[in-house]
Amino acid sequence: MKIEKEAKVTLIGAGPGSSDLITVRGLEALKAADVVLYDALIGEELLGQIDARIPKIYVGKRCGQHAFTQDDINVLIVEKAFEQGHVVRLKGGDPFVFGRAHEEIDYVESFGIPVRVVPGVSSAIAVPSGQGIPMTRRGVSSSFWVMTATKRDGSFSEDLKFASQSSATMVILMGVRKLAEISAEVSKYRGSLTPMAVIQNGTMQNESCIVGTLGGVASAISDIDTSKPGIIVIGDVVAEHPSFFEEEVQRVLRSSL
C-alpha cells in the first residue's frame, strides 16, 4: 500500500555563503527534505550534505539570469509539496531579509500547506563582521541601516537618502552594479573621506574586500568586478578594517603618480 507523505514546506536561511554558517536547526531540516528548491549563491558544499537521492532544483534569480520567475517558484513549491511531501526552500542569508519569503508563504498557505521558517545568519551583518568591520561601536556609530540600493523601477530608494543624512552605518545590498552612482548620492550628505568597503563572495574562500573612501571610489572601481553581487558598507566603522589606512595610503600614492 502506498503511503502518502504529508505536504509541508520549510523555508531555510542558508546563511551568508560558507556551508558551515547554516544553523544546526537549518541543517537538520535540510537533511529531512524530500525535495530541495535552492537559490543562487548556495554553495555545492552545502548541497553535498543532502542525500544524493533527494531531488535538488535550482530556482535562483540573478541579475538578468532568472531560472524561474517568482510566480513560477510559488507554483513549483506547491506542486512538489503535493507530489513528494516535504519541500525545503533554501535561501541565502535569512529568508526575511529581501528574500521575498512572505510571497511564497502566502501562496503556499493558500493551499492549506503548513509552512515553517528556519532563520538564517544574515549576510548584511555576518559578512562585514567577518572582515573585522562592526556595525556599531561606542562613540563611532550607535545604529546601522540595511537597505537595497534601488527600487523595482531602478530609481534610488528614499532610504538611501535618509540613511546618508544620518550618522548610522549604511549596509547596502544588491548595489555593486551602481557603486559609482551610490557613492555620488551618499557624497551629497557625507564627506569624501567617509570610509567605505565593498565585500564580495563573503565568508567564502575567494572572498574579496576593497576598502577606501567615498572620494576614492573612482580609483577603486577598477579593482571590483561589478558584474558580481556584493555588500557595500559606508561609515566610520569601516576604518576598523585591519588594512583600511594602508589601502588608503597606497591608493592616494597611485593616484598621485
Side-chain angles (χ1 to χ4, degrees):
M1 182 177 67
K2 181 180 180 182
I3 300 176
E4 297 292 341
K5 292 186 176 181
E6 176 192 0
K8 61 181 181 179
V9 173
T10 304
L11 270 66
I12 301 175
S18 180
S19 63
D20 59 357
L21 287 177
I22 189 172
T23 65
V24 173
R25 183 183 299 179
L27 187 58
E28 289 175 349
L30 180 60
K31 290 183 176 181
D34 293 313
V35 58
V36 177
L37 277 59
Y38 68 97
D39 274 349
L41 306 181
I42 302 297
E44 290 296 328
E45 188 174 348
L46 179 57
L47 294 175
Q49 298 191 48
I50 306 168
D51 190 313
R53 295 169 295 180
I54 301 301
K56 294 173 278 290
I57 304 170
Y58 174 71
V59 293
K61 298 193 295 292
R62 295 282 294 276
C63 185
Q65 299 178 349
H66 290 190
F68 291 85
T69 67
Q70 187 60 57
D71 288 341
D72 291 336
I73 294 171
N74 295 345
V75 171
L76 188 61
I77 294 172
V78 170
E79 287 180 348
K80 293 301 179 182
F82 283 131
E83 289 174 3
Q84 296 178 270
H86 183 200
V87 175
V88 162
R89 179 72 174 93
L90 190 60
K91 293 172 169 286
D94 180 88
F96 285 148
V97 180
F98 304 118
R100 302 184 70 172
H102 272 299
E103 297 175 42
E104 297 177 3
I105 292 171
D106 289 345
Y107 186 82
V108 172
E109 289 185 337
S110 73
F111 288 84
I113 301 172
V115 179
R116 180 169 69 119
V117 177
V118 179
V121 177
S122 175
S123 61
I125 300 173
V127 168
S129 177
Q131 281 288 334
I133 300 173
M135 292 293 93
T136 61
R137 183 178 175 181
R138 183 176 303 206
V140 178
S141 175
S142 60
S143 63
F144 59 95
W145 198 317
V146 180
M147 72 206 82
T148 57
T150 57
K151 297 183 290 188
R152 183 178 299 181
D153 63 4
S155 63
F156 280 131
S157 166
E158 288 295 301
D159 288 344
L160 185 69
K161 178 177 70 175
F162 296 146
S164 299
Q165 294 173 352
S166 75
S167 60
T169 302
M170 298 174 64
V171 183
I172 304 168
L173 308 182
M174 298 174 281
V176 172
R177 296 171 72 91
K178 291 195 172 185
L179 179 60
E181 295 95 320
I182 289 169
S183 61
E185 180 68 17
V186 177
S187 292
K188 295 177 182 177
Y189 311 99
R190 299 197 184 192
S192 62
L193 295 180
T194 300
M196 70 178 298
V198 178
I199 310 168
Q200 296 179 293
N201 300 311
T203 75
M204 307 292 283
Q205 288 188 345
N206 59 339
E207 179 174 14
S208 66
C209 179
I210 305 297
V211 293
T213 61
L214 283 175
V217 165
S219 60
I221 284 181
S222 60
D223 298 325
I224 299 168
D225 184 351
T226 56
S227 68
K228 295 181 179 179
I231 294 175
I232 303 169
V233 186
I234 301 174
D236 290 339
V237 292
V238 175
E240 299 297 319
H241 189 279
S243 63
F244 174 74
F245 289 104
E246 178 184 345
E247 290 290 332
E248 261 309 286
V249 168
Q250 292 298 322
R251 191 165 287 120
V252 169
L253 289 175
R254 288 200 301 269
S255 65
S256 64
L257 294 178

mmCIF file of all heavy atoms in Angstrom, residues 9 27 48 51 58 106 109 122 129 136 139 150 164-165 195 210 225 237 252:
data_model
loop_
_atom_site.group_PDB
_atom_site.id
_atom_site.type_symbol
_atom_site.label_atom_id
_atom_site.label_comp_id
_atom_site.label_asym_id
_atom_site.label_seq_id
_atom_site.Cartn_x
_atom_site.Cartn_y
_atom_site.Cartn_z
ATOM 1 N N VAL A 9 6.130 22.565 3.912
ATOM 2 C CA VAL A 9 7.234 23.373 3.364
ATOM 3 C C VAL A 9 8.035 23.979 4.507
ATOM 4 O O VAL A 9 7.468 24.461 5.497
ATOM 5 C CB VAL A 9 6.696 24.489 2.450
ATOM 6 C CG1 VAL A 9 7.830 25.430 2.008
ATOM 7 C CG2 VAL A 9 6.000 23.896 1.229
ATOM 8 N N LEU A 27 20.227 22.877 9.151
ATOM 9 C CA LEU A 27 20.855 21.698 8.561
ATOM 10 C C LEU A 27 20.020 20.447 8.825
ATOM 11 O O LEU A 27 19.871 19.590 7.950
ATOM 12 C CB LEU A 27 22.263 21.523 9.111
ATOM 13 C CG LEU A 27 23.113 20.432 8.470
ATOM 14 C CD1 LEU A 27 23.269 20.670 6.979
ATOM 15 C CD2 LEU A 27 24.485 20.348 9.137
ATOM 16 N N GLY A 48 25.997 19.257 -1.066
ATOM 17 C CA GLY A 48 26.593 17.929 -0.972
ATOM 18 C C GLY A 48 26.254 17.210 0.317
ATOM 19 O O GLY A 48 26.472 15.993 0.434
ATOM 20 N N ASP A 51 21.243 14.030 0.953
ATOM 21 C CA ASP A 51 21.240 12.693 0.361
ATOM 22 C C ASP A 51 21.163 12.806 -1.166
ATOM 23 O O ASP A 51 20.331 13.544 -1.704
ATOM 24 C CB ASP A 51 20.029 11.903 0.888
ATOM 25 C CG ASP A 51 20.080 10.429 0.526
ATOM 26 O OD1 ASP A 51 20.350 10.124 -0.654
ATOM 27 O OD2 ASP A 51 19.837 9.590 1.413
ATOM 28 N N TYR A 58 17.381 23.923 -8.962
ATOM 29 C CA TYR A 58 17.877 25.293 -8.915
ATOM 30 C C TYR A 58 16.789 26.254 -9.396
ATOM 31 O O TYR A 58 16.263 26.108 -10.501
ATOM 32 C CB TYR A 58 19.118 25.440 -9.788
ATOM 33 C CG TYR A 58 19.614 26.866 -9.904
ATOM 34 C CD1 TYR A 58 20.220 27.491 -8.818
ATOM 35 C CD2 TYR A 58 19.475 27.586 -11.085
ATOM 36 C CE1 TYR A 58 20.679 28.795 -8.907
ATOM 37 C CE2 TYR A 58 19.925 28.889 -11.192
ATOM 38 C CZ TYR A 58 20.531 29.492 -10.092
ATOM 39 O OH TYR A 58 20.972 30.783 -10.183
ATOM 40 N N ASP A 106 2.560 33.110 1.702
ATOM 41 C CA ASP A 106 1.147 33.411 1.452
ATOM 42 C C ASP A 106 0.568 32.478 0.388
ATOM 43 O O ASP A 106 -0.560 31.983 0.530
ATOM 44 C CB ASP A 106 0.983 34.864 1.010
ATOM 45 C CG ASP A 106 1.234 35.853 2.145
ATOM 46 O OD1 ASP A 106 1.256 35.418 3.314
ATOM 47 O OD2 ASP A 106 1.412 37.058 1.857
ATOM 48 N N GLU A 109 0.446 28.704 1.771
ATOM 49 C CA GLU A 109 -0.577 28.531 2.803
ATOM 50 C C GLU A 109 -1.986 28.636 2.244
ATOM 51 O O GLU A 109 -2.927 28.087 2.825
ATOM 52 C CB GLU A 109 -0.366 29.541 3.929
ATOM 53 C CG GLU A 109 0.857 29.237 4.786
ATOM 54 C CD GLU A 109 1.004 30.161 5.985
ATOM 55 O OE1 GLU A 109 0.441 31.281 5.928
ATOM 56 O OE2 GLU A 109 1.671 29.769 6.956
ATOM 57 N N SER A 122 22.198 36.472 8.586
ATOM 58 C CA SER A 122 22.100 37.447 7.503
ATOM 59 C C SER A 122 23.475 37.922 7.044
ATOM 60 O O SER A 122 24.324 38.286 7.863
ATOM 61 C CB SER A 122 21.273 38.655 7.945
ATOM 62 O OG SER A 122 21.275 39.656 6.942
ATOM 63 N N SER A 129 31.196 41.641 9.488
ATOM 64 C CA SER A 129 31.792 41.179 10.738
ATOM 65 C C SER A 129 32.993 40.281 10.482
ATOM 66 O O SER A 129 34.026 40.378 11.158
ATOM 67 C CB SER A 129 30.748 40.423 11.559
ATOM 68 O OG SER A 129 31.309 39.892 12.744
ATOM 69 N N THR A 136 28.221 48.516 14.777
ATOM 70 C CA THR A 136 28.185 49.613 15.744
ATOM 71 C C THR A 136 29.468 49.611 16.571
ATOM 72 O O THR A 136 30.117 48.578 16.728
ATOM 73 C CB THR A 136 26.993 49.466 16.717
ATOM 74 O OG1 THR A 136 27.119 48.248 17.459
ATOM 75 C CG2 THR A 136 25.669 49.458 15.954
ATOM 76 N N GLY A 139 30.800 55.424 20.560
ATOM 77 C CA GLY A 139 31.475 56.661 20.199
ATOM 78 C C GLY A 139 31.679 56.856 18.715
ATOM 79 O O GLY A 139 32.132 57.919 18.277
ATOM 80 N N THR A 150 18.299 50.248 -4.917
ATOM 81 C CA THR A 150 17.285 50.780 -5.823
ATOM 82 C C THR A 150 15.942 50.083 -5.640
ATOM 83 O O THR A 150 15.859 48.971 -5.121
ATOM 84 C CB THR A 150 17.710 50.615 -7.292
ATOM 85 O OG1 THR A 150 17.974 49.230 -7.552
ATOM 86 C CG2 THR A 150 18.960 51.424 -7.577
ATOM 87 N N SER A 164 21.833 58.351 4.446
ATOM 88 C CA SER A 164 23.008 59.186 4.178
ATOM 89 C C SER A 164 23.020 60.431 5.058
ATOM 90 O O SER A 164 24.082 60.941 5.437
ATOM 91 C CB SER A 164 23.036 59.611 2.707
ATOM 92 O OG SER A 164 23.113 58.503 1.854
ATOM 93 N N GLN A 165 21.840 60.919 5.399
ATOM 94 C CA GLN A 165 21.739 62.122 6.221
ATOM 95 C C GLN A 165 21.946 61.831 7.709
ATOM 96 O O GLN A 165 22.070 62.761 8.504
ATOM 97 C CB GLN A 165 20.362 62.766 6.019
ATOM 98 C CG GLN A 165 20.160 63.295 4.607
ATOM 99 C CD GLN A 165 18.741 63.778 4.352
ATOM 100 O OE1 GLN A 165 17.852 63.589 5.178
ATOM 101 N NE2 GLN A 165 18.510 64.391 3.210
ATOM 102 N N PRO A 195 34.776 56.506 5.245
ATOM 103 C CA PRO A 195 35.246 55.165 4.862
ATOM 104 C C PRO A 195 34.132 54.320 4.259
ATOM 105 O O PRO A 195 32.957 54.449 4.628
ATOM 106 C CB PRO A 195 35.715 54.567 6.200
ATOM 107 C CG PRO A 195 35.977 55.731 7.082
ATOM 108 C CD PRO A 195 34.950 56.756 6.694
ATOM 109 N N ILE A 210 37.414 45.316 -0.740
ATOM 110 C CA ILE A 210 38.084 46.547 -1.154
ATOM 111 C C ILE A 210 37.647 47.653 -0.210
ATOM 112 O O ILE A 210 36.450 47.917 -0.062
ATOM 113 C CB ILE A 210 37.708 46.936 -2.602
ATOM 114 C CG1 ILE A 210 38.002 45.787 -3.572
ATOM 115 C CG2 ILE A 210 38.437 48.203 -3.014
ATOM 116 C CD1 ILE A 210 39.446 45.400 -3.665
ATOM 117 N N ASP A 225 34.819 43.648 -9.459
ATOM 118 C CA ASP A 225 34.038 43.042 -10.539
ATOM 119 C C ASP A 225 32.570 43.387 -10.301
ATOM 120 O O ASP A 225 31.880 42.735 -9.527
ATOM 121 C CB ASP A 225 34.225 41.522 -10.546
ATOM 122 C CG ASP A 225 33.509 40.855 -11.725
ATOM 123 O OD1 ASP A 225 32.745 41.548 -12.427
ATOM 124 O OD2 ASP A 225 33.706 39.646 -11.933
ATOM 125 N N VAL A 237 32.819 53.117 10.889
ATOM 126 C CA VAL A 237 33.221 51.811 11.420
ATOM 127 C C VAL A 237 34.098 51.045 10.435
ATOM 128 O O VAL A 237 34.851 50.149 10.833
ATOM 129 C CB VAL A 237 31.991 50.948 11.771
ATOM 130 C CG1 VAL A 237 31.234 51.537 12.949
ATOM 131 C CG2 VAL A 237 31.080 50.756 10.564
ATOM 132 N N VAL A 252 46.125 56.633 -2.569
ATOM 133 C CA VAL A 252 46.499 58.044 -2.742
ATOM 134 C C VAL A 252 47.814 58.152 -3.491
ATOM 135 O O VAL A 252 47.978 58.982 -4.394
ATOM 136 C CB VAL A 252 46.580 58.764 -1.375
ATOM 137 C CG1 VAL A 252 47.218 60.126 -1.541
ATOM 138 C CG2 VAL A 252 45.209 58.886 -0.756
#
